[in-house]
Each structure stands twice: as structure tokens, then as C-alpha cells.
Amino acid sequence: MSAYTPKRLKIYIYGAPVLRKKTAPVEKVTEAIRRLTQDMTLTMYDDDGIGLSANQVGESHAIFILGASAFEDDRGDSVFLNPEILEMSEETELQEEGCLSIPGIRENVPRSLTIRLRWQDLDLKIHEEIFTGFPARVIQHEYDHLNGIFFTDRISSVRKMFIKSKLSELASSQS
Ligand code: NI
């Protein structure tokens, strides 16, 4: 049993530079990294999110977490370190997404229906798995965060125009 009591972290909002920066790989799982993933889990549930990336709480590490509801099986809350999408299907699906870093905006985003992902767990053990449908979507969303990409970068140009002023408002509220 860990004696650590997780704490709520600040979620960085669209416009914060850390969200546009590519995150760095995790080479060693320190106590600080373990605590960060626990804090991220608490913060995600506090805000009713399904997933959260480390740079969304201002930590530029290649880590994202997904809540139990992201999966169709019973694996529960999961931590993904150094994820790498090895393959993605040409077949895509359009579904609505939102993001804790872009409050108030939801848009339809095309995503590959199926992906093959490699990642490491908190013991740095390597996993490889094929995900389809909803889990594949949320993984692609969080994976994008780690590379400085928002779901709003992937929507149609017409919709981009439509939300442009809302995004600049969010960004200007950051400075
Ligand atoms: Ni997001």
C-alpha cells in the first residue's frame, strides 16, 4: 500500500505553451512519476474526463492515463508510458470529442477505427495491443496531446473557422 494521498492538479488550458510542446520520453519511473499518475487520475475523475495527458497538468512527459470507462473490458484505470502508434487503419470514423483543456467546445473528429499501440507500464514492461472503436479514439486523442496536437487541429476547415474566435478567447485568457 502506498501512503501517498493524491492531490488535484491544475489543468492547463488551450493557449498554454506546454500543450504545444512535444513531451519527453520517460526513461526512469521515479516516485515523482508514480505520484504524478495518481494525481492525474484523481484530477481526471474530478473533472469527469475519460483520459488525461501529463502535459495537460503542465508536466512534459510522454504519459497519459485512461479511465476505466474508456475500455470495453474490465482492465480499469490504466497508465500508458512512452506510447507509440505502430499502425492505424485507413478506415476512419467521425465522432464528437471534447477536451478538459478546451472547455465548452465539442466537435466531430475523424479518427482511425483501429490502431496498434505499443507502450510501457509503470514497471517499464512493454505492451502491444490492437484497439478498435472508442478505446482507439481516446488513445489517439491523448497520443495527440503528447505531440502537441489538439482535436481542434483535426476538424474540418469550416468548423475551424467557426470556433476560431472561441479558441482565441480561451488562449487570451491564459496570459
Ligand atoms: Ni484532451
PDB file of all heavy atoms in Angstrom, residues 19 51-53 56 97-102 111 138 141-142 144-145 149-151, ligand 1:
ATOM      1  N   LEU A  19       1.253  22.815 -23.791  1.00  0.00           N
ATOM      2  CA  LEU A  19       0.347  21.932 -24.529  1.00  0.00           C
ATOM      3  C   LEU A  19       0.720  21.796 -26.008  1.00  0.00           C
ATOM      4  O   LEU A  19       0.226  20.896 -26.694  1.00  0.00           O
ATOM      5  CB  LEU A  19      -1.093  22.435 -24.414  1.00  0.00           C
ATOM      6  CG  LEU A  19      -1.712  22.321 -23.022  1.00  0.00           C
ATOM      7  CD1 LEU A  19      -3.036  23.071 -22.965  1.00  0.00           C
ATOM      8  CD2 LEU A  19      -1.916  20.863 -22.641  1.00  0.00           C
ATOM      9  N   GLY A  51      -9.831  10.621 -20.174  1.00  0.00           N
ATOM     10  CA  GLY A  51      -8.383  10.469 -20.313  1.00  0.00           C
ATOM     11  C   GLY A  51      -7.700  11.778 -20.003  1.00  0.00           C
ATOM     12  O   GLY A  51      -8.343  12.833 -20.006  1.00  0.00           O
ATOM     13  N   LEU A  52      -6.411  11.695 -19.716  1.00  0.00           N
ATOM     14  CA  LEU A  52      -5.656  12.920 -19.410  1.00  0.00           C
ATOM     15  C   LEU A  52      -4.183  12.671 -19.742  1.00  0.00           C
ATOM     16  O   LEU A  52      -3.654  11.595 -19.439  1.00  0.00           O
ATOM     17  CB  LEU A  52      -5.812  13.269 -17.930  1.00  0.00           C
ATOM     18  CG  LEU A  52      -5.338  14.648 -17.464  1.00  0.00           C
ATOM     19  CD1 LEU A  52      -6.210  15.764 -18.052  1.00  0.00           C
ATOM     20  CD2 LEU A  52      -5.375  14.739 -15.936  1.00  0.00           C
ATOM     21  N   SER A  53      -3.544  13.651 -20.346  1.00  0.00           N
ATOM     22  CA  SER A  53      -2.118  13.522 -20.640  1.00  0.00           C
ATOM     23  C   SER A  53      -1.333  14.383 -19.652  1.00  0.00           C
ATOM     24  O   SER A  53      -1.850  15.361 -19.104  1.00  0.00           O
ATOM     25  CB  SER A  53      -1.836  13.948 -22.079  1.00  0.00           C
ATOM     26  OG  SER A  53      -2.129  15.319 -22.245  1.00  0.00           O
ATOM     27  N   GLN A  56      -1.140  18.099 -19.954  1.00  0.00           N
ATOM     28  CA  GLN A  56      -2.344  18.846 -19.581  1.00  0.00           C
ATOM     29  C   GLN A  56      -2.292  19.326 -18.126  1.00  0.00           C
ATOM     30  O   GLN A  56      -3.069  20.195 -17.739  1.00  0.00           O
ATOM     31  CB  GLN A  56      -3.601  17.995 -19.786  1.00  0.00           C
ATOM     32  CG  GLN A  56      -3.997  17.849 -21.248  1.00  0.00           C
ATOM     33  CD  GLN A  56      -5.280  17.057 -21.373  1.00  0.00           C
ATOM     34  OE1 GLN A  56      -5.276  15.833 -21.317  1.00  0.00           O
ATOM     35  NE2 GLN A  56      -6.391  17.759 -21.507  1.00  0.00           N
ATOM     36  N   GLU A  97     -15.899  14.837 -29.982  1.00  0.00           N
ATOM     37  CA  GLU A  97     -14.931  14.808 -28.880  1.00  0.00           C
ATOM     38  C   GLU A  97     -14.939  16.129 -28.142  1.00  0.00           C
ATOM     39  O   GLU A  97     -15.285  17.164 -28.699  1.00  0.00           O
ATOM     40  CB  GLU A  97     -13.503  14.563 -29.431  1.00  0.00           C
ATOM     41  CG  GLU A  97     -13.299  13.193 -30.008  1.00  0.00           C
ATOM     42  CD  GLU A  97     -11.869  12.942 -30.462  1.00  0.00           C
ATOM     43  OE1 GLU A  97     -10.949  13.652 -30.025  1.00  0.00           O
ATOM     44  OE2 GLU A  97     -11.694  12.005 -31.277  1.00  0.00           O
ATOM     45  N   GLY A  98     -14.532  16.067 -26.897  1.00  0.00           N
ATOM     46  CA  GLY A  98     -14.288  17.255 -26.101  1.00  0.00           C
ATOM     47  C   GLY A  98     -12.934  17.078 -25.437  1.00  0.00           C
ATOM     48  O   GLY A  98     -12.277  16.055 -25.613  1.00  0.00           O
ATOM     49  N   CYS A  99     -12.505  18.074 -24.674  1.00  0.00           N
ATOM     50  CA  CYS A  99     -11.189  18.008 -24.045  1.00  0.00           C
ATOM     51  C   CYS A  99     -11.183  18.902 -22.810  1.00  0.00           C
ATOM     52  O   CYS A  99     -11.684  20.024 -22.862  1.00  0.00           O
ATOM     53  CB  CYS A  99     -10.141  18.485 -25.048  1.00  0.00           C
ATOM     54  SG  CYS A  99      -8.468  18.490 -24.397  1.00  0.00           S
ATOM     55  N   LEU A 100     -10.604  18.407 -21.725  1.00  0.00           N
ATOM     56  CA  LEU A 100     -10.557  19.195 -20.489  1.00  0.00           C
ATOM     57  C   LEU A 100      -9.746  20.475 -20.673  1.00  0.00           C
ATOM     58  O   LEU A 100      -9.940  21.440 -19.935  1.00  0.00           O
ATOM     59  CB  LEU A 100      -9.972  18.363 -19.336  1.00  0.00           C
ATOM     60  CG  LEU A 100     -10.802  17.131 -18.909  1.00  0.00           C
ATOM     61  CD1 LEU A 100     -10.101  16.380 -17.791  1.00  0.00           C
ATOM     62  CD2 LEU A 100     -12.210  17.536 -18.489  1.00  0.00           C
ATOM     63  N   SER A 101      -8.870  20.516 -21.674  1.00  0.00           N
ATOM     64  CA  SER A 101      -8.066  21.713 -21.928  1.00  0.00           C
ATOM     65  C   SER A 101      -8.760  22.686 -22.888  1.00  0.00           C
ATOM     66  O   SER A 101      -8.237  23.769 -23.152  1.00  0.00           O
ATOM     67  CB  SER A 101      -6.698  21.329 -22.499  1.00  0.00           C
ATOM     68  OG  SER A 101      -5.946  20.631 -21.526  1.00  0.00           O
ATOM     69  N   ILE A 102      -9.911  22.271 -23.428  1.00  0.00           N
ATOM     70  CA  ILE A 102     -10.669  23.153 -24.331  1.00  0.00           C
ATOM     71  C   ILE A 102     -12.124  23.182 -23.871  1.00  0.00           C
ATOM     72  O   ILE A 102     -13.019  22.674 -24.557  1.00  0.00           O
ATOM     73  CB  ILE A 102     -10.571  22.689 -25.813  1.00  0.00           C
ATOM     74  CG1 ILE A 102      -9.120  22.361 -26.182  1.00  0.00           C
ATOM     75  CG2 ILE A 102     -11.132  23.751 -26.739  1.00  0.00           C
ATOM     76  CD1 ILE A 102      -8.939  21.954 -27.642  1.00  0.00           C
ATOM     77  N   ARG A 111     -11.215   9.803 -36.780  1.00  0.00           N
ATOM     78  CA  ARG A 111     -10.126   9.019 -36.174  1.00  0.00           C
ATOM     79  C   ARG A 111     -10.074   7.652 -36.838  1.00  0.00           C
ATOM     80  O   ARG A 111     -11.118   7.114 -37.232  1.00  0.00           O
ATOM     81  CB  ARG A 111     -10.389   8.783 -34.675  1.00  0.00           C
ATOM     82  CG  ARG A 111     -10.439  10.015 -33.813  1.00  0.00           C
ATOM     83  CD  ARG A 111      -9.076  10.587 -33.534  1.00  0.00           C
ATOM     84  NE  ARG A 111      -9.173  11.678 -32.544  1.00  0.00           N
ATOM     85  CZ  ARG A 111      -8.167  12.499 -32.284  1.00  0.00           C
ATOM     86  NH1 ARG A 111      -7.004  12.367 -32.891  1.00  0.00           N
ATOM     87  NH2 ARG A 111      -8.324  13.467 -31.407  1.00  0.00           N
ATOM     88  N   VAL A 138     -10.035   7.391 -27.981  1.00  0.00           N
ATOM     89  CA  VAL A 138      -9.489   8.144 -26.840  1.00  0.00           C
ATOM     90  C   VAL A 138      -7.960   8.031 -26.784  1.00  0.00           C
ATOM     91  O   VAL A 138      -7.285   8.991 -26.419  1.00  0.00           O
ATOM     92  CB  VAL A 138     -10.140   7.760 -25.479  1.00  0.00           C
ATOM     93  CG1 VAL A 138     -11.574   8.247 -25.419  1.00  0.00           C
ATOM     94  CG2 VAL A 138     -10.090   6.293 -25.207  1.00  0.00           C
ATOM     95  N   HIS A 141      -6.636  10.539 -29.227  1.00  0.00           N
ATOM     96  CA  HIS A 141      -6.791  11.896 -28.671  1.00  0.00           C
ATOM     97  C   HIS A 141      -5.651  12.199 -27.688  1.00  0.00           C
ATOM     98  O   HIS A 141      -5.004  13.257 -27.784  1.00  0.00           O
ATOM     99  CB  HIS A 141      -8.159  12.000 -27.974  1.00  0.00           C
ATOM    100  CG  HIS A 141      -8.427  13.325 -27.328  1.00  0.00           C
ATOM    101  ND1 HIS A 141      -9.439  14.177 -27.732  1.00  0.00           N
ATOM    102  CD2 HIS A 141      -7.833  13.932 -26.272  1.00  0.00           C
ATOM    103  CE1 HIS A 141      -9.419  15.262 -26.973  1.00  0.00           C
ATOM    104  NE2 HIS A 141      -8.457  15.140 -26.062  1.00  0.00           N
ATOM    105  N   GLU A 142      -5.392  11.279 -26.760  1.00  0.00           N
ATOM    106  CA  GLU A 142      -4.343  11.519 -25.752  1.00  0.00           C
ATOM    107  C   GLU A 142      -2.948  11.481 -26.375  1.00  0.00           C
ATOM    108  O   GLU A 142      -2.074  12.264 -26.012  1.00  0.00           O
ATOM    109  CB  GLU A 142      -4.435  10.491 -24.614  1.00  0.00           C
ATOM    110  CG  GLU A 142      -5.754  10.494 -23.842  1.00  0.00           C
ATOM    111  CD  GLU A 142      -6.186  11.866 -23.342  1.00  0.00           C
ATOM    112  OE1 GLU A 142      -5.309  12.714 -23.066  1.00  0.00           O
ATOM    113  OE2 GLU A 142      -7.399  12.109 -23.245  1.00  0.00           O
ATOM    114  N   ASP A 144      -2.173  12.363 -29.354  1.00  0.00           N
ATOM    115  CA  ASP A 144      -2.011  13.670 -29.989  1.00  0.00           C
ATOM    116  C   ASP A 144      -1.516  14.708 -28.980  1.00  0.00           C
ATOM    117  O   ASP A 144      -0.609  15.490 -29.284  1.00  0.00           O
ATOM    118  CB  ASP A 144      -3.347  14.142 -30.582  1.00  0.00           C
ATOM    119  CG  ASP A 144      -3.542  13.703 -32.024  1.00  0.00           C
ATOM    120  OD1 ASP A 144      -2.613  13.114 -32.605  1.00  0.00           O
ATOM    121  OD2 ASP A 144      -4.636  13.957 -32.577  1.00  0.00           O
ATOM    122  N   HIS A 145      -2.125  14.729 -27.783  1.00  0.00           N
ATOM    123  CA  HIS A 145      -1.690  15.693 -26.760  1.00  0.00           C
ATOM    124  C   HIS A 145      -0.188  15.609 -26.525  1.00  0.00           C
ATOM    125  O   HIS A 145       0.486  16.631 -26.415  1.00  0.00           O
ATOM    126  CB  HIS A 145      -2.376  15.410 -25.418  1.00  0.00           C
ATOM    127  CG  HIS A 145      -3.726  16.066 -25.266  1.00  0.00           C
ATOM    128  ND1 HIS A 145      -3.918  17.417 -25.433  1.00  0.00           N
ATOM    129  CD2 HIS A 145      -4.940  15.552 -24.928  1.00  0.00           C
ATOM    130  CE1 HIS A 145      -5.200  17.703 -25.217  1.00  0.00           C
ATOM    131  NE2 HIS A 145      -5.837  16.593 -24.920  1.00  0.00           N
ATOM    132  N   ILE A 149      -0.683  18.222 -30.198  1.00  0.00           N
ATOM    133  CA  ILE A 149      -1.800  18.360 -31.141  1.00  0.00           C
ATOM    134  C   ILE A 149      -3.135  18.324 -30.388  1.00  0.00           C
ATOM    135  O   ILE A 149      -3.336  17.490 -29.494  1.00  0.00           O
ATOM    136  CB  ILE A 149      -1.752  17.222 -32.197  1.00  0.00           C
ATOM    137  CG1 ILE A 149      -0.447  17.311 -32.993  1.00  0.00           C
ATOM    138  CG2 ILE A 149      -2.961  17.262 -33.120  1.00  0.00           C
ATOM    139  CD1 ILE A 149      -0.148  16.062 -33.822  1.00  0.00           C
ATOM    140  N   PHE A 150      -4.048  19.223 -30.764  1.00  0.00           N
ATOM    141  CA  PHE A 150      -5.400  19.249 -30.181  1.00  0.00           C
ATOM    142  C   PHE A 150      -6.409  18.643 -31.157  1.00  0.00           C
ATOM    143  O   PHE A 150      -6.195  18.690 -32.370  1.00  0.00           O
ATOM    144  CB  PHE A 150      -5.840  20.683 -29.907  1.00  0.00           C
ATOM    145  CG  PHE A 150      -5.078  21.368 -28.815  1.00  0.00           C
ATOM    146  CD1 PHE A 150      -3.998  22.184 -29.117  1.00  0.00           C
ATOM    147  CD2 PHE A 150      -5.442  21.199 -27.488  1.00  0.00           C
ATOM    148  CE1 PHE A 150      -3.307  22.836 -28.106  1.00  0.00           C
ATOM    149  CE2 PHE A 150      -4.747  21.847 -26.475  1.00  0.00           C
ATOM    150  CZ  PHE A 150      -3.682  22.664 -26.783  1.00  0.00           C
ATOM    151  N   PHE A 151      -7.531  18.173 -30.633  1.00  0.00           N
ATOM    152  CA  PHE A 151      -8.551  17.618 -31.541  1.00  0.00           C
ATOM    153  C   PHE A 151      -9.059  18.684 -32.509  1.00  0.00           C
ATOM    154  O   PHE A 151      -9.464  18.378 -33.620  1.00  0.00           O
ATOM    155  CB  PHE A 151      -9.698  16.960 -30.752  1.00  0.00           C
ATOM    156  CG  PHE A 151     -10.694  17.909 -30.134  1.00  0.00           C
ATOM    157  CD1 PHE A 151     -11.827  18.304 -30.841  1.00  0.00           C
ATOM    158  CD2 PHE A 151     -10.529  18.378 -28.843  1.00  0.00           C
ATOM    159  CE1 PHE A 151     -12.767  19.162 -30.275  1.00  0.00           C
ATOM    160  CE2 PHE A 151     -11.449  19.245 -28.269  1.00  0.00           C
ATOM    161  CZ  PHE A 151     -12.560  19.644 -28.987  1.00  0.00           C
TER     162      PHE A 151
HETATM  163 NI    NI B   1      -7.867  16.288 -24.442  1.00  0.00          NI
END
